[in-house]
Amino acid sequence: MAIDWNQVGKDVEAAVMNVLKGSWGTVSTAAGPQIQAMIAIGQSIEQSNSQGRLTPLEYDTLKAMQKRAFAGILHSYEAVGIVIAEQAADAAWNVISQALIKGAGIAFA
């Protein structure tokens, strides 16, 4: 089953908005491009997996890097505390992870 990355992007944004609530309007300008970067990494993971080149360690490293980058951007805003930033990053990656599990069959995602 092919992953609809456009839909995943919309779902990621919705998950993040759900965590951030009213703060989304404040952070959306910076958060939007980082969400797109997360989606691009998800696509790269899917491609690497289909070519048999993805290890669990590589996946975990890419996931950690993307979550830290996103949480860092969010936390740089006064309106978003570190815990909320981390929860939003977790929510965003969870959507990507579920797409990789269901659409690409990556068991360790």
Side-chain angles (χ1 to χ4, degrees):
M1 167 178 9
I3 297 173
D4 180 351
W5 288 106
N6 288 325
Q7 184 60 51
V8 171
K10 291 174 188 174
D11 293 345
V12 167
E13 189 171 301
V16 170
M17 288 172 70
N18 186 49
V19 172
L20 295 178
K21 311 271 187 248
S23 298
W24 174 251
T26 304
V27 303
S28 62
T29 301
Q34 188 58 43
I35 288 173
Q36 292 307 311
M38 291 177 93
I39 298 301
I41 291 299
Q43 291 171 313
S44 176
I45 288 169
E46 178 187 30
Q47 183 178 22
S48 292
N49 183 66
S50 72
Q51 296 171 351
R53 298 181 300 136
L54 182 69
T55 68
L57 178 60
E58 289 169 327
Y59 173 83
D60 287 341
T61 301
L62 290 168
K63 172 179 131 178
M65 288 171 40
Q66 289 304 305
K67 286 175 56 176
R68 284 186 196 121
F70 191 57
I73 285 171
L74 295 177
H75 186 251
S76 69
Y77 287 87
E78 211 174 296
V80 180
I82 188 69
V83 172
I84 298 298
E86 289 175 358
Q87 289 173 346
D90 286 341
W93 194 264
N94 185 51
V95 173
I96 294 168
S97 173
Q98 290 304 306
L100 290 168
I101 290 167
K102 292 176 185 172
I106 301 175
F108 52 81

